[in-house]
């Protein structure tokens, strides 16, 4: 976006090049602060203002607004290149698009594209808001590139179009800078915030890149896979304080074998140049092949690997936000992959000796690494374009022209099927439709390997650093099989003839009539039910019924005309309901559950995700902090209280469990943000349930509830040394005849990331307990996708349990039903528990 004022433009054109450069202020001059100095931070709005000024003053810089963030900030990228390239942007974008998808081009045409094209280098900074250095460095670097008159820099800008995002999470950048400034000079200076640095997802904003649930992820995905098609992507992060100073590629093990090897050849060459330039400039503590693997597709540039983009990561040692830290030599440690003991190795030839480390150091290291990647992209312009072309061609050639996945439109969750197809389209994948509405995904396309990765099951490779010792554990989760996570059936098939480009099917919602029946089991149904509850009358059948000449299962919801009209406004593709003459007489009124979500001061991403999912589906949850819970009287205000996946220690006391042997200091927070539910909070929850409330515990919080309420349930795996699981999909057998599980299939994939499964015992006559789901008896059937050790221990154990307690109810879900909003297939467990809370 060009917003150059007439006067500025006149000045720019009137003056010579060097005078023009001198007229462009540095970030420090423009902002009236010493950027990069100790304890000094420019916030996101200042950064945006500076880039707007650069855009106005320099023909080498052009801002592009990517959209609004969750809290309404402008997300932007700065395209930085030679004046000629900026003016020629549309043509260069067209070339990049063709290189990313060369189908139908002749050899001569692709050669011409390589000759004419520029490397598009995409650099994202500061996705994690405490990792603040790169957001500051970006301003200084952009100024240097906009004003440089040396031949080398000008040549680089001739060969490369840099697409620079100073912050990929503006909301969090603002929250963290505000928190930091507020606490400067106090004992909390540079300490953690008691809430997430994203309105919903905190650090998990870098786990969203295959599901695309957040606005920022969606906006950047549009820019990358629909508009710019960069060949190289660098994501700049920060890591802990007591290890190496910077980690550059090559990555650590394991590497996914389905990613094109030329990705790693590009990445390794660039990483080597980063290390080379850092060492030349006397920067110690540079490491590669350290900790960060290349196997999991959830992060920014990770997802890009399967889409033929060479994605790189740098991680620089942190300070206390912008406050220097002093690290004693003896505090420096290895311990991770690639550096078992802190000391000289081939991948770490010059260890940092310890001392003071400041924001300026972070920015200097990042600046050298950034210049080095720009240099490599210029040096290797034609090679990198040829490699990108080869990756796209090989991806297409991996599959037969007729290889495809079919996403049947008619299935148990038709809305989920439409949603899966729409997600692929958002990713830039080509999807087609048959006349019956089925989606077809041809695999012989540039992102075919990406589709195959997400549509098939994972088996985590058991690599060992030392023979006979433990395997290298996954960096994050070990499973991302979308159809299983979404509860959608797909099949590998042959592409039929007569397909058209994919188009979302419109919901099939008749509105003529007096009553409408909506079958249970689709998570998307909750949107309709919740909207309907706010617009008219909604009834639920607690047993199988017949209506309109058809049988309906237990859990079917009946909406009157007013409710149906309100619901139709929230309908998504693939949804349908049927008009019936009247709801069955046995159906009971359903009302909107009043839901509270517990929020600890040790910021919980699962709390944020839970809130996000419930809001998306129209539940309108309220947040309950420690003080609110401790104050009691919850039953008057809430039907259901949800405890997200938070450990019993954090719920009880506000402090995480101290790992045996690990030296982890948990910095203190201002008094109003300390403590947990304590005794009063536990008593208040107990009273809430005794009076008739429903307490829903997700994953590890179940242990808190079991203990505080003295339930006849225990974690069967608590002391099982042989059992381990890493973010994987496990098979659970569901009993669908309970309000919590209405409409769910007999077999579901549940997302499990900890050693948690229940043993139950028969209670006394005052209590009812029902096992809602359990793991299969045949333990070899337990793992669907990912990695598990010792599955014998989890066989036959309960995954979900419902209990009566006093006049109320308890639902224990011993897995992650709404994990990162990536598991719609199991959202109905949570939604069902909330609707059950309003039942008599
Ligand atoms: Zn990070």
């Amino acid at each position: 976006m060009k917003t150059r004022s007439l006067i500025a433009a006149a000045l720019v054109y009137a003056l010579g090049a060097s005078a023009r450069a001198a007229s462009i202020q540095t970030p420090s001059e423009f902002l009236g602060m010493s950027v990069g100095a100790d304890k000094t931070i420019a916030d996101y709005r200042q950064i945006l203002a500076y880039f707007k000024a650069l855009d106005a003053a320099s023909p080498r810089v052009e801002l592009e607004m990517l959209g609004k963030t969750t809290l309404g900030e402008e997300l932007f990228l700065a395209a930085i290149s030679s004046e000629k390239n900026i003016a020629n942007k549309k043509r260069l974008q067209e070339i990049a698009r063709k290189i990313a998808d060369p189908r139908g081009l002749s050899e001569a045409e692709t050669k011409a594209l390589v000759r004419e094209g520029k490397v598009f280098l995409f650099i994202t900074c500061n996705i994690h808001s405490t990792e603040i250095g790169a957001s500051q460095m970006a301003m200084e670097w952009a100024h240097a590139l906009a004003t440089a008159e040396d031949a080398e820099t000008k040549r680089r800008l001739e060969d490369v179009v840099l697409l620079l995002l100073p912050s990929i999470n503006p909301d969090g950048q603002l929250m963290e800078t505000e928190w930091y400034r507020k606490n400067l000079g106090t004992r909390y200076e540079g300490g953690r915030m008691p809430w997430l640095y994203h309105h919903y997802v905190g650090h998990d904003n870098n786990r969203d890149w295959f599901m695309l649930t957040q606005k920022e992820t969606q906006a950047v995905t549009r820019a990358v896979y629909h508009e710019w098609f960069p060949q190289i992507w660098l994501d700049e992060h920060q890591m802990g304080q007591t290890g190496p100073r910077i980690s550059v590629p090559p990555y650590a093990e394991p590497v996914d074998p389905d990613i094109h090897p030329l990705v790693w050849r590009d990445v390794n060459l660039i990483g080597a140049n980063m290390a080379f330039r850092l060492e030349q400039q006397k920067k110690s503590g540079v490491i590669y092949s350290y900790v960060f693997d290349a196997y999991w597709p959830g992060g920014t540039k990770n997802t890009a690997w399967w889409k033929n983009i060479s994605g790189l990561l740098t991680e620089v040692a942190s300070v206390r936000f912008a406050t220097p830290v002093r690290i004693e030599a003896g505090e420096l440690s290895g311990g991770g992959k690639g550096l078992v003991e802190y000391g000289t190795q081939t991948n770490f030839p010059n260890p940092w000796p310890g001392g003071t480390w400041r924001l300026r150091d972070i920015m200097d290291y990042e600046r050298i690494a950034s210049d080095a990647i720009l240099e490599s992209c210029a040096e290797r312009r034609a090679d990198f374009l040829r490699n990108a072309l080869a990756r796209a061609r090989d991806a297409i050639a991996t599959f037969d022209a007729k290889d495809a996945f079919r996403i049947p439109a008619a299935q148990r969750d038709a809305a989920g099927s439409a949603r899966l197809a729409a997600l692929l389209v958002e990713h830039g994948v080509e999807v087609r439709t048959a006349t019956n509405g089925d989606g077809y995904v041809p695999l012989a396309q540039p992102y075919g390997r990406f589709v195959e990765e997400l549509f098939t099951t994972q088996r985590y490779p058991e690599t060992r650093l030392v023979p006979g010792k433990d395997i290298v554990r996954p960096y994050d989760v070990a499973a991302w099989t979308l159809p299983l996570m979404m509860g959608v059936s797909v099949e590998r098939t042959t592409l039929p003839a007569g397909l058209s480009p994919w188009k979302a099917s419109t919901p099939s919602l008749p509105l003529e009539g007096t009553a409408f029946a909506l079958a249970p089991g689709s998570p998307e149904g909750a949107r309709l039910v919740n909207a309907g509850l706010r617009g008219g009358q909604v009834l639920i059948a607690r047993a199988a019924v017949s209506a309109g000449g058809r049988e309906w299962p237990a859990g079917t919801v009946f909406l009157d005309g007013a409710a149906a009209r309100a619901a139709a406004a929230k309908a998504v593709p693939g949804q349908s309901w049927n008009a019936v003459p009247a709801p069955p007489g046995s159906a009971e009124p359903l009302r909107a559950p009043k839901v509270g979500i517990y929020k600890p001061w040790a910021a919980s991403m699962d709390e944020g995700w839970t809130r996000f999912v419930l809001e998306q589906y129209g539940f309108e949850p309220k947040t309950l902090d420690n003080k609110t819970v401790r104050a009691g009287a919850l039953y008057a205000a809430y039907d259901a209280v949800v405890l997200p996946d938070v450990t019993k220690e954090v719920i009880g006391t506000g402090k995480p469990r101290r790992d045996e042997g690990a030296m982890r200091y948990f910095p203190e927070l201002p008094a109003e943000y300390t403590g947990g539910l304590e005794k009063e909070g536990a008593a208040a929850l107990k009273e809430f349930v005794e009076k008739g409330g429903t307490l829903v515990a997700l994953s590890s919080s179940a242990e808190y509830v079991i203990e505080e309420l003295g339930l006849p349930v225990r974690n069967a795996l608590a002391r099982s040394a042989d059992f381990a699981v890493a973010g994987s999909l496990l098979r659970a057998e569901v009993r669908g005849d309970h309000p919590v599980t209405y409409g769910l299939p007999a077999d579901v994939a549940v997302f499990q990331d900890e050693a948690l499964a229940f043993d139950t015992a028969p209670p006394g006559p005052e209590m009812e307990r029902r096992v809602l789901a359990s793991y299969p008896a045949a333990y070899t059937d337990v793992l669907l996708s990912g990695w598990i050790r010792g599955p014998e221990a989890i066989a036959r154990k309960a995954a979900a349990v419902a209990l009566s307690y006093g006049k109320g109810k308890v639902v224990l879900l011993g897995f992650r039903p709404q994990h990162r909003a990536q598991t719609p297939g199991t959202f109905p467990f949570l939604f069902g528990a909330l609707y059950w809370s309003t039942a008599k």
Side-chain angles (χ1 to χ4, degrees):
M1 179 185 293
K2 269 293 182 214
T3 50
R4 185 185 297 153
S5 77
L6 282 175
I7 298 171
L11 272 176
V12 164
Y13 292 117
L15 301 173
S18 55
R20 180 167 65 203
S23 75
I24 299 176
Q25 288 182 306
T26 66
S28 292
E29 286 163 359
F30 180 84
L31 296 173
M33 60 165 60
S34 188
V35 170
D38 291 353
K39 310 191 181 193
T40 305
I41 285 288
D43 68 35
Y44 184 77
R45 290 178 191 152
Q46 293 174 307
I47 295 170
L48 173 57
Y50 180 67
F51 272 91
K52 281 184 172 167
L54 263 189
D55 178 338
S58 168
R60 293 183 194 166
V61 179
E62 182 169 297
L63 297 203
E64 180 179 306
M65 297 300 158
L66 303 182
K68 287 277 200 301
T69 65
T70 303
L71 297 182
E73 300 298 321
E74 293 276 5
L75 186 64
F76 77 94
L77 68 74
I80 303 177
S81 193
S82 70
E83 183 171 356
K84 192 172 132 221
N85 287 343
I86 293 291
N88 199 26
K89 181 181 94 173
K90 285 281 169 247
R91 170 65 188 151
L92 296 177
Q93 282 181 329
E94 189 191 332
I95 295 170
R97 178 192 293 267
K98 285 182 172 169
I99 286 174
D101 185 358
R103 282 177 291 179
L105 296 179
S106 71
E107 198 57 39
E109 283 168 319
T110 55
K111 275 194 172 143
L113 292 177
V114 168
R115 260 197 313 278
E116 188 188 351
K118 309 295 175 185
V119 172
F120 281 9
L121 167 61
F122 198 75
I123 299 192
T124 44
C125 302
N126 185 235
I127 186 169
H128 293 145
S129 307
T130 48
E131 302 166 14
I132 201 74
S135 72
Q136 313 293 299
M137 180 280 295
M139 288 188 291
E140 294 187 341
W141 193 34
H143 174 263
L145 295 174
T147 56
E149 291 303 334
D150 63 287
E152 174 60 21
T153 307
K154 284 164 98 171
R155 187 181 69 85
R156 290 178 188 179
L157 294 178
E158 223 18 85
D159 289 332
V160 182
V161 177
L162 168 64
L163 305 165
L164 180 62
L165 278 87
S167 176
I168 199 170
N169 178 20
D171 298 348
Q173 208 276 358
L174 285 165
M175 288 182 211
E176 287 287 352
T177 48
E178 188 189 339
W179 177 255
Y180 179 75
R181 287 168 178 171
K182 185 178 150 193
N183 289 296
L184 259 181
T186 73
R187 62 192 296 170
Y188 311 111
E189 178 178 319
R192 68 194 164 92
M193 284 197 312
W195 45 83
L196 299 168
Y197 55 58
H198 178 279
H199 184 62
Y200 294 113
V201 307
H203 201 79
D204 272 355
N205 60 358
N206 201 27
R207 308 286 183 260
D208 189 41
W209 293 78
F210 58 81
M211 201 66 195
L212 311 181
T213 68
Q214 301 300 308
K215 285 186 166 181
E216 297 79 10
T217 327
Q218 292 162 359
V220 173
T221 294
R222 255 193 321 274
V224 171
Y225 303 110
H226 293 268
E227 196 191 346
W228 286 97
F229 301 94
Q231 298 86 28
I232 313 281
W233 182 341
L234 166 63
D235 196 29
E236 303 204 13
H237 286 249
Q238 289 172 219
M239 55 183 178
Q241 299 174 359
T242 57
R245 296 300 93 188
I246 185 172
S247 168
V248 300
Y251 289 96
E253 306 304 330
V255 170
D256 187 288
D258 296 327
I259 297 166
H260 198 292
L262 275 175
V263 165
W264 308 127
R265 298 304 180 189
D266 284 6
V267 162
N268 297 352
L269 189 141
I270 295 168
N273 193 45
M274 288 175 169
F276 178 82
R277 291 299 183 203
L278 283 156
E279 204 66 51
Q280 267 191 331
Q281 297 187 49
K282 302 203 182 319
K283 301 298 183 193
S284 61
V286 181
I287 195 167
Y288 65 83
S289 298
Y290 176 66
V291 175
F292 309 98
D293 70 28
Y295 182 74
W296 151 84
T300 49
K301 83 296 165 190
N302 306 42
T303 310
W305 296 325
W306 283 269
K307 293 177 175 179
N308 312 318
I309 295 176
S310 298
L312 296 95
L313 168 73
T314 55
E315 296 267 358
V316 180
S318 293
V319 294
R320 283 176 62 77
F321 201 66
T323 300
V325 291
R326 202 189 142 67
I327 307 296
E328 304 293 347
E331 289 165 358
L332 288 163
S333 61
K337 271 184 282 183
L339 188 69
V340 176
E341 302 286 345
Y342 191 91
T344 307
Q345 307 186 155
T346 59
N347 64 337
F348 191 50
N350 184 13
W352 185 66
T356 300
W357 186 249
R358 26 177 47 101
L359 175 62
R360 176 46 72 186
D361 294 314
I362 297 172
M363 292 167 62
D364 286 349
Y365 275 62
E366 287 173 338
R367 174 69 180 280
I368 296 167
S370 300
D371 272 323
I373 192 172
L374 183 63
E375 178 190 18
S376 295
C377 289
E379 290 286 333
R380 297 282 180 172
R381 185 199 64 83
D383 273 328
F384 285 176
L385 294 184
R386 269 194 288 271
N387 288 358
L389 196 60
R391 291 192 292 266
R393 279 182 168 160
D394 291 350
I396 295 162
T398 305
F399 302 97
D400 185 85
K402 293 267 180 209
D403 280 349
F405 276 103
R406 184 170 78 97
I407 311 175
Q411 56 176 295
R412 194 188 61 80
D413 183 5
S417 156
R419 194 176 167 199
L420 179 56
L423 173 63
L424 293 182
V425 171
E426 215 178 330
H427 269 295
V429 173
E430 186 185 315
V431 181
R432 299 182 202 159
T433 323
T435 46
N436 69 354
D438 284 0
Y440 281 89
V441 192
L443 286 169
Q445 60 170 313
Y447 300 165
R449 289 185 181 196
F450 174 72
V451 174
E452 192 183 43
E453 180 67 24
L454 290 179
F455 271 41
T456 55
T457 53
Q458 282 76 47
R459 281 292 177 275
Y460 183 74
E462 300 210 341
T463 46
R464 288 172 170 79
L465 296 177
V466 179
K469 293 283 184 196
D470 200 6
I471 65 156
V472 171
R473 293 296 178 98
Y475 177 74
D476 189 75
V477 300
W480 37 84
T481 312
L482 276 182
L484 288 177
M485 293 164 95
M486 297 177 75
V488 172
S489 303
V490 301
E491 62 166 13
R492 189 76 177 251
T493 185
T494 303
L495 210 59
L499 300 175
S500 47
W502 188 80
K503 206 166 112 286
S505 58
T506 46
S508 158
L509 303 174
L511 286 170
E512 291 301 310
T514 49
F516 304 89
L518 177 64
S522 164
E524 305 302 326
R527 288 183 214 273
L528 300 181
V529 173
N530 288 336
L533 283 166
R534 290 177 176 91
Q537 202 195 20
V538 179
L539 304 169
I540 184 167
R542 297 275 175 207
V545 290
S546 66
R550 187 180 148 182
E551 293 300 306
W552 294 92
T556 298
V557 167
F558 295 89
L559 301 94
D560 73 3
R565 280 186 293 279
K570 297 282 180 189
V572 296
Q575 281 187 313
S576 62
W577 60 42
N578 289 72
V580 293
S586 61
E588 297 169 14
L590 185 68
R591 61 184 177 78
K594 292 172 283 177
V595 181
I597 303 177
Y598 171 65
K599 175 186 181 170
W601 290 125
S604 157
M605 291 181 275
D606 196 63
E607 179 275 323
W609 282 115
T610 309
R611 184 161 36 87
F612 173 74
V613 166
L614 294 184
E615 285 182 13
Q616 289 294 303
Y617 286 84
F619 283 97
E620 301 183 1
K622 299 266 189 316
T623 292
L624 300 172
D625 63 14
N626 289 312
K627 204 170 131 196
T628 312
V629 176
R630 288 198 300 251
L634 293 168
Y635 185 58
Y638 297 98
D639 298 306
V641 169
V642 180
L643 299 179
D645 176 36
V646 178
T647 63
K648 62 182 181 188
E649 290 81 4
V650 169
I651 300 175
T653 67
K655 282 193 184 143
R657 180 176 4 198
R658 236 189 121 91
D659 284 344
E660 306 284 326
M663 291 282 296
R664 222 171 109 240
Y665 180 72
F666 194 64
E668 70 177 291
L669 281 169
E672 66 262 45
Y673 306 119
T674 57
L677 287 184
E678 319 295 339
K679 278 204 166 58
E680 311 97 277
L685 285 179
K686 191 168 182 215
E687 185 203 62
F688 166 72
V689 183
E690 280 171 339
K691 285 190 167 166
T694 298
L695 188 57
V696 184
L698 307 184
S699 203
S700 49
S701 66
E703 297 192 80
Y704 176 84
V705 174
I706 290 167
E707 224 169 271
E708 292 298 334
L709 299 186
L711 302 176
V713 181
R714 66 169 185 176
N715 178 8
L717 304 175
R719 275 169 291 277
S720 174
D722 299 329
F723 179 85
V725 66
S728 295
L729 292 161
L730 307 185
R731 185 195 305 277
E733 296 167 345
V734 178
R735 269 126 266 181
D737 58 347
H738 189 276
V740 174
T741 52
Y742 282 154
L744 279 168
D747 239 24
V748 296
V750 300
F751 193 90
Q752 181 58 279
D753 63 357
E754 65 184 300
L756 178 64
F758 304 121
D759 277 331
T760 58
E766 77 287 1
M767 183 183 278
E768 281 177 47
R769 62 87 190 77
R770 282 285 308 278
V771 170
L772 305 176
S774 51
Y775 297 103
Y779 66 84
T780 49
D781 291 346
V782 170
L783 180 67
L784 291 169
S785 187
W787 179 79
I788 195 170
R789 171 189 291 161
E792 311 80 293
I794 204 172
R796 294 181 60 238
K797 302 298 179 191
V801 181
L803 304 102
S804 69
Y805 190 92
K807 291 180 180 166
K809 313 172 190 97
V810 175
V811 179
L812 307 175
L813 302 177
F815 52 93
R816 308 281 298 273
Q818 71 333 344
H819 179 252
R820 295 175 179 166
Q822 291 166 0
T823 54
T826 52
F827 290 176
F829 279 99
L830 173 58
F831 299 168
L834 300 181
Y835 291 128
W836 188 38
S837 74
T838 67
K840 289 188 288 289

